[in-house]
Each structure stands twice: as structure tokens, then as C-alpha cells.
Amino acid sequence: MAPLSTTSFPAEAVPQAPEDPLFGLMRAYKADTSPNKVDLGIGAYRDNNGKPWVLPVVKKADDLIRSDPDLNHEYLPIAGLASFTSKAAELSLGASSAALGEKRVASVQTISGTGAVHLGALFLAKFYKVDGANRTVYVSNPTWANHNQIFTNVGLPIATYPYFDRATKGLDINGMLKALADAPERSIILLHACAHNPTGVDPSPEQWRDIAEVIKAKKHFPFFDTAYQGFASGDLDRDASAIRYFVKEGSELVIAQSFSKNLGLYGERAGAFHYVAAPASDATDTTTRVASQLAILQRSEISNPPIYGAKVAATVLNDPALFAEWQENLRTMSGRIITMREALRSKLEEYGTPGTWKHITDQIGMFSFTGLTEAQVAKLRSDFHVYMTKNGRISMAGLNTSNVEYFAKAVDNVVRGTQ
Ligand code: LMR
């Protein structure tokens, strides 16, 4: 007879957790042997052959790094590679940003966007204690699923503000503004800088102004997540305009920045966290103090960040010719996605698929929130080998000229069959 369990981790204490929905989807897709299978799950760019795309500019940077006779594998400083973080801050804030000129920015290299959100969350959990601070983090409904667990893991409660309007499949701006106005003063507000994940719905510049106004009036603390700069519109400056507007208006804020998508450095985990102080006579002192505490948090969590992805990014960001080539690569990616949006919409309209499909081309960035129901998503998977998240999100980059028709026909079939 087997001995009775003596574990310190019984099921009451450590229940079985569900598999991560996105990575579970990736695993299921890989295991599917159908030649027709379509992967619209995880947000990773694919070329028109459905293959991962190493950006040509990244290949060049890679060659330069590898042929450098001084290349070594020493530790980076705790805050990371300075030639990377300084340019990352410029990319987000603009090279001529007053915040940078006035030394009001503290930047730390992180384990990509997730690491940046986590570092920011940890910092806020420990230090956001100013009089009247409401430590609840307001996230859009819906948001990237990982936001919820990153903040709750460090003990910051989550609340939501309306974002996606199911009727229009666009932005519920009135609902959002009202919720921000009703939230207790000094709440933490998580905002997606561009290419909102999962909906692909972004506020217009006028709507961003209204959002900034309410946030300022209620003394809320803005926390920007920027994972798609240059990937949404193909224009790096345009995709950073919301952040730059808040900074120009004098807001104190933080930014979690990822280079996974816009440089295709997914597995290299290249990212940065930036704290930006509001203009004030003691802003530089505040920034120095914040940076000192970020360094302590970083040291205890990861000691110092990984070097390779940051070197690739720094090589591109610091060389004007490579930078220009990167912009071209960004236009290739965003352009192909826009073409696929047009192709999908026109196929569904051609078939007369019940419903309206204009939102496919109105939405922007990696994802489209199709409006398909959970039952329809399940049917797409069981009957057509199409893999997408239950909430109806599709990664547009998974579509190409060879499978867009197949996918549109599958959607048409499923929508008609479940009416
Ligand atoms: C996604 O939402 O698919 C990506 O941001 C990948 C991830 O880490 O979840």
C-alpha cells in the first residue's frame, strides 16, 4: 500500500490551476494535424506564408553584434543597457520631450512588457501611499488577461471601466469617461497606448483629450502599457501620441514598454519601464529617488536584465540608417495586417454573412475583436481547426492570402449555423 501523502502542498492549499488560455491555445494548435488549421491565437506576427518573421533590420543588427570582437557575456548594470533604455524612453516620449530634457524620467530595462508591468505594479504596491491614494487599478473591460493577475499578484485590487461597446463594436467613450469620473480620486488607471489588446479599438485624439482631462481632474495615476508602438499605424510617433499628450499636459505617469512585437523580439524579452515625474522644482530629486527604489526591486527580482534583445534594439535605435530601415519593416507588418483586415471584411460582405463587418477595418493593430460568441469560437475550432481566444479575438497576423478565404467561409458557416 502506498504511504499516505505527507506533502506540504495538499490540494486545498495548492489547487490545480487552469492552463494559461493563450499558451494552451498555442499548444493545442501545434498538436492539431489538420492541413487546414489556422492559428489566430497568440499575438505574434506571421508573414504571408504563416511563418514567424525575423525583421531584416534585426538580422543586420544581429550580424553586427556577433561580429563585434569585443562581444562578451558580462552582467548588465541593474537598470540595464543605458544605450537601450535612453533610446527606448526617447521613442516613447519623443526625442525633444521636455521631460527628458528636464531629467524627469527614470528608465529601467525589464523582461519585456510583462516584466515592465510587473515592476510598475510592484513599485506601486510598495510606494503608492500618498495621502488619499486609492490603490485599486482600473483596467479596461476587456483587457489583456495578464494585467489582472500581474496586479493582483502584488496585492493591488482590480476594478474595470467600460471600454468595448458590443453594439457598435467600437469604443464606449461615455461609459469609460463616466467610470473614470466616478472612481475614487487618485485611482490607478491602466491605459493601452495604442492597438488595444484584445479589442483593436483605440480612442481618437479628441477622445484621448477627454480621457486625460478626467484623469487630471480626479488626480488619477495613469499607467500606460505600450506594446505595439509603430505596429498599429506603421508610424512610431503617431502611435505614441497619447502618452506624449499626457506628458505634455504635465501628468506624472509610468510606462510599460515592450519591443516584442515592433522588433519581433518576442522570446528575447526586451522591454523597459519608465517613470515620468510631473514638472516641478523637485522633479529631478523625485526621479532620482524613484530610480533608486526601482533598482532595489529589480535587484531582488532578476538582479539585472538579459543582454541580447536589448543589444539588438539598441543597435537599431542608435543607428539612423537602421532606424529608417526599421520604420520600413514596421510599415511592412502593419500594411500586411491592414490588407488582411480589408480582405476579411470584403469576403464576409461578399458572402452576405449575417451581421456587420465594418469593425474589422475600423479596428487597428494586431487584434480584431470579431464579435463572435464563445459557442461560435468553439465551433470554429471543432469543425474548421481555427484557433482563437474564447472572447472572439483574432490575431490578424495569422491571416494570409492563402487562408483568409477559408477562414471567412468558416465564419460564414458558423454564424449562419448558430443564428
Ligand atoms: C497576446 O495577447 O497574445 C500577446 O500579448 C502575448 C501574450 O503574452 O499574451
Side-chain angles (χ1 to χ4, degrees):
M1 207 174 82
L4 276 178
S5 168
T6 55
T7 181
S8 304
F9 308 105
E12 310 84 79
V14 187
Q16 180 66 40
E19 187 176 24
D20 180 84
L22 268 173
F23 282 80
L25 207 55
M26 187 160 97
R27 193 186 44 72
Y29 171 79
K30 281 193 178 144
D32 188 332
T33 52
S34 166
N36 296 327
K37 65 180 180 176
V38 182
D39 180 12
L40 307 179
I42 206 150
Y45 184 78
R46 300 288 176 253
D47 66 12
N48 196 45
N49 300 313
K51 297 273 180 280
W53 195 53
V54 181
L55 273 60
V57 74
V58 165
K59 280 198 177 130
K60 282 191 187 164
D62 191 54
D63 286 345
L64 286 170
I65 294 164
R66 282 171 205 276
S67 59
D68 177 357
D70 292 330
L71 176 69
N72 60 45
H73 304 284
E74 293 294 293
Y75 290 128
L76 281 178
I78 292 170
L81 187 67
S83 59
F84 165 65
T85 50
S86 58
K87 285 289 168 182
E90 276 184 24
L91 191 76
S92 188
L93 300 169
S96 59
S97 159
L100 286 169
E102 291 159 16
K103 304 211 177 320
R104 292 191 271 119
V105 184
S107 300
V108 176
Q109 186 188 325
T110 57
I111 309 285
S112 203
T114 304
V117 177
H118 171 68
L119 184 64
L122 202 60
F123 176 78
L124 291 174
K126 197 155 179 205
F127 297 104
Y128 190 53
K129 293 184 173 163
V130 67
D131 237 6
N134 173 32
R135 292 157 59 83
T136 301
V137 183
Y138 283 73
V139 298
S140 59
N141 180 19
T143 192
W144 182 49
N146 219 10
H147 282 147
N148 296 298
Q149 57 194 9
I150 294 173
F151 287 106
T152 47
N153 276 347
V154 299
L156 294 177
I158 292 275
T160 60
Y161 57 81
Y163 192 82
F164 187 71
D165 183 335
R166 295 210 166 261
T168 64
K169 300 191 183 74
L171 181 63
D172 177 5
I173 186 66
N174 293 331
M176 177 177 179
L177 291 173
K178 180 170 182 328
L180 297 183
D182 289 348
E185 276 199 355
R186 293 190 189 276
S187 298
I188 301 162
I189 313 293
L190 196 285
L191 299 160
H192 299 225
C194 68
H196 183 271
N197 181 2
T199 67
V201 172
D202 283 348
S204 67
E206 297 70 37
Q207 289 169 334
W208 272 120
R209 278 203 281 280
D210 294 342
I211 294 165
E213 201 178 304
V214 181
I215 288 182
K216 194 173 185 173
K218 294 293 307 240
K219 303 190 178 70
H220 293 323
F221 189 85
F223 190 130
F224 274 99
D225 187 346
T226 175
Y228 296 92
Q229 189 182 350
F231 200 96
S233 68
D235 179 335
L236 287 160
D237 293 320
R238 191 168 147 195
D239 289 352
S241 54
I243 293 178
R244 291 179 191 177
Y245 180 75
F246 274 68
V247 173
K248 190 167 109 299
E249 289 296 291
S251 182
E252 179 181 41
L253 52 80
V254 293
I255 305 165
Q257 182 182 29
S258 164
F259 286 89
S260 294
K261 330 279 175 172
N262 57 11
L263 270 169
L265 288 174
Y266 305 94
E268 302 302 343
R269 317 308 292 136
F273 175 77
H274 309 281
Y275 161 80
V276 183
S281 55
D282 60 352
T284 308
D285 284 356
T286 308
T287 306
T288 309
R289 282 187 287 100
V290 169
S292 72
Q293 292 294 348
L294 289 172
I296 301 278
L297 295 176
Q298 173 100 314
R299 174 81 168 122
S300 64
E301 294 249 316
I302 63 164
S303 195
N304 48 77
I307 198 163
Y308 179 71
K311 273 205 172 184
V312 171
T315 305
V316 174
L317 293 172
N318 284 283
D319 180 306
L322 292 180
F323 191 88
E325 187 173 339
W326 179 38
Q327 289 174 297
E328 204 43 57
N329 292 174
L330 281 167
R331 283 190 285 271
T332 300
M333 292 192 285
S334 57
R336 199 186 80 70
I337 286 180
I338 289 166
T339 309
M340 283 305 115
R341 288 186 182 280
E342 285 158 1
L344 177 59
R345 177 181 166 190
S346 79
K347 284 281 161 211
L348 292 169
E349 288 178 349
E350 184 188 312
Y351 302 153
T353 309
T356 58
W357 303 100
K358 185 172 169 291
H359 59 283
I360 306 272
T361 50
D362 286 346
Q363 296 169 353
I364 193 167
M366 185 78 94
F367 305 110
S368 180
F369 218 45
T370 57
L372 294 169
T373 63
E374 201 171 320
Q376 290 168 335
V377 171
K379 213 163 156 44
L380 279 167
R381 178 158 160 186
S382 60
D383 296 6
F384 296 95
H385 305 269
V386 170
Y387 290 78
M388 54 190 280
T389 50
K390 280 192 211 158
N391 58 8
R393 182 189 92 165
I394 56 174
S395 174
M396 289 305 304
L399 292 178
N400 53 56
T401 48
S402 310
N403 68 13
V404 65
E405 193 166 333
Y406 173 81
F407 175 63
K409 280 205 175 119
V411 170
D412 183 65
N413 185 296
V414 161
V415 170
R416 287 179 198 280
T418 50
Q419 268 194 307

